[in-house]
Amino acid sequence: SCFQFSFQENGWGASLAERLVRKCDVVNRGLSGYNTRWAKLILPQLITKSTAAESTVAVTIFFGANDSALKDLNPKQHVPLEEYAANLKSMIQYLKSVDITEDRIILITPPPLQEAAWEKECLAKGEKLNRRNATTGEYAQACVQVARDCGTDVLDLWTLMQKNQDFSSYLSDGLHLSTKGNSFLAGQLWSRLEKKLSALPSLLPYWRDVDHTNPEASLL
């Protein structure tokens, strides 16, 4: 959901799309509530050989908040830690099989969990607190290790957000990103994408550069 909702107002995906307008399209394939077990299965439907290598400049993989749900309280979304890491590696291997090289892949760890705020959300639904920040941190560490093992870039959101002792302002409900959290993620991700994407040429000339007496010469 942190990915699916990224195109909402002030979302991190929308921010990146604005920075890259007329350079490339930012495609949102976030699926709220999904975990790596499900994502691994559907990835070949989302990115195929025919649409991959030449037209793809970067791919982000952002999972862990659902996988790290506590097994006894949220068995539907929970994925064991070792399987989570294996699933991430499987997705990277698939992307490489369609010629998206590891230097174009960025893993994003789950953000930290603010337990008190998320517990309120759970209690409002008649449920117990179904996630723990320490557990989420184990999944974040596994994500970082997968990136090291596979040679991809990684954005360790869990660690970076907690450098500020009170990280609750980055989260809207203890789990999902707030406006400030979206802005933080956009800035951190752009610092990793800028070198890859800043040199992309603009699509079509600036309007003042179009020859109005002979637009075909400028536009075709």
Side-chain angles (χ1 to χ4, degrees), residues 5-6 15 32 63 65 78 82 91 128 140 157 186 196 209-211 219:
F5 300 160
S6 71
S15 175
S32 179
F63 283 99
H78 169 79
E82 289 185 3
M91 285 189 271
K128 295 180 180 179
L157 209 54
K196 303 177 193 290
D209 297 328
V210 175
D211 181 354
L219 303 177

mmCIF file of all heavy atoms in Angstrom, residues 5-6 15 32 63 65 78 82 91 128 140 157 186 196 209-211 219:
data_model
loop_
_atom_site.group_PDB
_atom_site.id
_atom_site.type_symbol
_atom_site.label_atom_id
_atom_site.label_comp_id
_atom_site.label_asym_id
_atom_site.label_seq_id
_atom_site.Cartn_x
_atom_site.Cartn_y
_atom_site.Cartn_z
ATOM 1 N N PHE A 5 -0.335 3.670 -2.885
ATOM 2 C CA PHE A 5 -0.820 4.990 -2.515
ATOM 3 C C PHE A 5 0.145 6.109 -2.898
ATOM 4 O O PHE A 5 -0.122 7.275 -2.641
ATOM 5 C CB PHE A 5 -1.077 5.059 -0.999
ATOM 6 C CG PHE A 5 -2.095 4.065 -0.491
ATOM 7 C CD1 PHE A 5 -2.124 3.724 0.849
ATOM 8 C CD2 PHE A 5 -3.003 3.468 -1.354
ATOM 9 C CE1 PHE A 5 -3.050 2.797 1.328
ATOM 10 C CE2 PHE A 5 -3.941 2.548 -0.884
ATOM 11 C CZ PHE A 5 -3.960 2.213 0.462
ATOM 12 N N SER A 6 1.267 5.755 -3.512
ATOM 13 C CA SER A 6 2.314 6.753 -3.772
ATOM 14 C C SER A 6 1.930 7.784 -4.826
ATOM 15 O O SER A 6 2.624 8.783 -4.987
ATOM 16 C CB SER A 6 3.615 6.063 -4.194
ATOM 17 O OG SER A 6 3.510 5.510 -5.496
ATOM 18 N N SER A 15 5.640 12.620 -6.761
ATOM 19 C CA SER A 15 6.773 13.546 -6.722
ATOM 20 C C SER A 15 7.832 13.159 -7.746
ATOM 21 O O SER A 15 8.355 14.016 -8.477
ATOM 22 C CB SER A 15 7.383 13.560 -5.315
ATOM 23 O OG SER A 15 8.549 14.345 -5.269
ATOM 24 N N SER A 32 -1.776 -2.964 -2.793
ATOM 25 C CA SER A 32 -2.026 -2.840 -1.363
ATOM 26 C C SER A 32 -2.290 -4.202 -0.724
ATOM 27 O O SER A 32 -3.073 -5.003 -1.235
ATOM 28 C CB SER A 32 -3.234 -1.922 -1.138
ATOM 29 O OG SER A 32 -3.521 -1.800 0.234
ATOM 30 N N PHE A 63 8.919 -4.085 -0.426
ATOM 31 C CA PHE A 63 8.126 -5.057 0.327
ATOM 32 C C PHE A 63 8.712 -5.268 1.715
ATOM 33 O O PHE A 63 9.878 -4.998 1.959
ATOM 34 C CB PHE A 63 8.095 -6.410 -0.401
ATOM 35 C CG PHE A 63 7.165 -6.453 -1.578
ATOM 36 C CD1 PHE A 63 7.654 -6.283 -2.857
ATOM 37 C CD2 PHE A 63 5.799 -6.636 -1.404
ATOM 38 C CE1 PHE A 63 6.814 -6.312 -3.953
ATOM 39 C CE2 PHE A 63 4.939 -6.670 -2.485
ATOM 40 C CZ PHE A 63 5.448 -6.506 -3.765
ATOM 41 N N ALA A 65 6.605 -4.691 4.846
ATOM 42 C CA ALA A 65 5.652 -4.276 5.878
ATOM 43 C C ALA A 65 4.568 -5.322 6.090
ATOM 44 O O ALA A 65 4.095 -5.518 7.220
ATOM 45 C CB ALA A 65 5.029 -2.931 5.501
ATOM 46 N N HIS A 78 1.545 -12.745 6.568
ATOM 47 C CA HIS A 78 2.872 -13.123 7.068
ATOM 48 C C HIS A 78 3.618 -14.040 6.099
ATOM 49 O O HIS A 78 3.048 -14.970 5.528
ATOM 50 C CB HIS A 78 2.734 -13.841 8.410
ATOM 51 C CG HIS A 78 3.998 -14.484 8.880
ATOM 52 N ND1 HIS A 78 5.017 -13.770 9.470
ATOM 53 C CD2 HIS A 78 4.437 -15.772 8.804
ATOM 54 C CE1 HIS A 78 6.018 -14.587 9.765
ATOM 55 N NE2 HIS A 78 5.698 -15.810 9.379
ATOM 56 N N GLU A 82 13.124 -16.062 6.145
ATOM 57 C CA GLU A 82 13.990 -16.670 5.131
ATOM 58 C C GLU A 82 13.295 -16.717 3.769
ATOM 59 O O GLU A 82 13.937 -16.514 2.730
ATOM 60 C CB GLU A 82 14.411 -18.077 5.565
ATOM 61 C CG GLU A 82 15.397 -18.074 6.716
ATOM 62 C CD GLU A 82 15.900 -19.468 7.042
ATOM 63 O OE1 GLU A 82 15.531 -20.429 6.334
ATOM 64 O OE2 GLU A 82 16.670 -19.599 8.015
ATOM 65 N N MET A 91 12.718 -12.367 -7.349
ATOM 66 C CA MET A 91 12.245 -11.249 -8.180
ATOM 67 C C MET A 91 13.408 -10.574 -8.903
ATOM 68 O O MET A 91 13.282 -10.196 -10.076
ATOM 69 C CB MET A 91 11.463 -10.257 -7.320
ATOM 70 C CG MET A 91 10.078 -10.763 -6.946
ATOM 71 S SD MET A 91 9.049 -9.503 -6.144
ATOM 72 C CE MET A 91 9.513 -9.765 -4.443
ATOM 73 N N LYS A 128 -5.845 -7.330 17.674
ATOM 74 C CA LYS A 128 -4.674 -7.016 18.487
ATOM 75 C C LYS A 128 -3.567 -6.448 17.592
ATOM 76 O O LYS A 128 -3.620 -6.598 16.377
ATOM 77 C CB LYS A 128 -4.173 -8.283 19.193
ATOM 78 C CG LYS A 128 -5.137 -8.862 20.204
ATOM 79 C CD LYS A 128 -4.543 -10.114 20.853
ATOM 80 C CE LYS A 128 -5.498 -10.711 21.870
ATOM 81 N NZ LYS A 128 -4.942 -11.936 22.500
ATOM 82 N N ALA A 140 13.862 -5.670 7.378
ATOM 83 C CA ALA A 140 14.634 -4.606 6.733
ATOM 84 C C ALA A 140 16.094 -5.026 6.590
ATOM 85 O O ALA A 140 16.714 -4.824 5.532
ATOM 86 C CB ALA A 140 14.524 -3.316 7.544
ATOM 87 N N LEU A 157 15.007 2.311 4.480
ATOM 88 C CA LEU A 157 14.061 3.268 5.048
ATOM 89 C C LEU A 157 13.911 3.070 6.554
ATOM 90 O O LEU A 157 13.776 4.037 7.308
ATOM 91 C CB LEU A 157 12.709 3.080 4.345
ATOM 92 C CG LEU A 157 11.772 4.267 4.213
ATOM 93 C CD1 LEU A 157 12.455 5.445 3.553
ATOM 94 C CD2 LEU A 157 10.524 3.855 3.439
ATOM 95 N N ALA A 186 10.745 10.209 -1.176
ATOM 96 C CA ALA A 186 11.000 10.769 -2.504
ATOM 97 C C ALA A 186 12.404 11.362 -2.585
ATOM 98 O O ALA A 186 13.127 11.154 -3.566
ATOM 99 C CB ALA A 186 9.952 11.835 -2.836
ATOM 100 N N LYS A 196 21.171 8.088 -12.510
ATOM 101 C CA LYS A 196 20.681 7.214 -13.571
ATOM 102 C C LYS A 196 19.788 7.959 -14.552
ATOM 103 O O LYS A 196 19.754 7.650 -15.741
ATOM 104 C CB LYS A 196 19.868 6.054 -12.965
ATOM 105 C CG LYS A 196 20.588 5.195 -11.951
ATOM 106 C CD LYS A 196 19.622 4.139 -11.395
ATOM 107 C CE LYS A 196 20.150 3.438 -10.161
ATOM 108 N NZ LYS A 196 21.271 2.549 -10.419
ATOM 109 N N ASP A 209 11.331 26.677 -28.776
ATOM 110 C CA ASP A 209 12.306 26.216 -29.766
ATOM 111 C C ASP A 209 11.656 25.613 -31.008
ATOM 112 O O ASP A 209 12.358 25.218 -31.946
ATOM 113 C CB ASP A 209 13.237 25.176 -29.125
ATOM 114 C CG ASP A 209 14.062 25.765 -27.995
ATOM 115 O OD1 ASP A 209 14.391 26.974 -28.070
ATOM 116 O OD2 ASP A 209 14.373 25.029 -27.035
ATOM 117 N N VAL A 210 10.337 25.533 -31.004
ATOM 118 C CA VAL A 210 9.633 24.988 -32.175
ATOM 119 C C VAL A 210 9.568 26.061 -33.260
ATOM 120 O O VAL A 210 9.220 27.213 -32.997
ATOM 121 C CB VAL A 210 8.217 24.519 -31.795
ATOM 122 C CG1 VAL A 210 7.449 24.069 -33.033
ATOM 123 C CG2 VAL A 210 8.276 23.398 -30.765
ATOM 124 N N ASP A 211 9.899 25.683 -34.470
ATOM 125 C CA ASP A 211 9.801 26.592 -35.617
ATOM 126 C C ASP A 211 8.331 26.682 -36.002
ATOM 127 O O ASP A 211 7.778 25.774 -36.618
ATOM 128 C CB ASP A 211 10.629 26.051 -36.778
ATOM 129 C CG ASP A 211 10.584 26.968 -38.002
ATOM 130 O OD1 ASP A 211 9.815 27.956 -37.981
ATOM 131 O OD2 ASP A 211 11.294 26.669 -38.982
ATOM 132 N N LEU A 219 9.265 18.910 -34.994
ATOM 133 C CA LEU A 219 8.524 17.911 -34.223
ATOM 134 C C LEU A 219 8.528 16.520 -34.842
ATOM 135 O O LEU A 219 8.226 15.539 -34.136
ATOM 136 C CB LEU A 219 7.077 18.372 -34.044
ATOM 137 C CG LEU A 219 6.893 19.741 -33.382
ATOM 138 C CD1 LEU A 219 5.429 20.121 -33.327
ATOM 139 C CD2 LEU A 219 7.504 19.741 -31.983
#
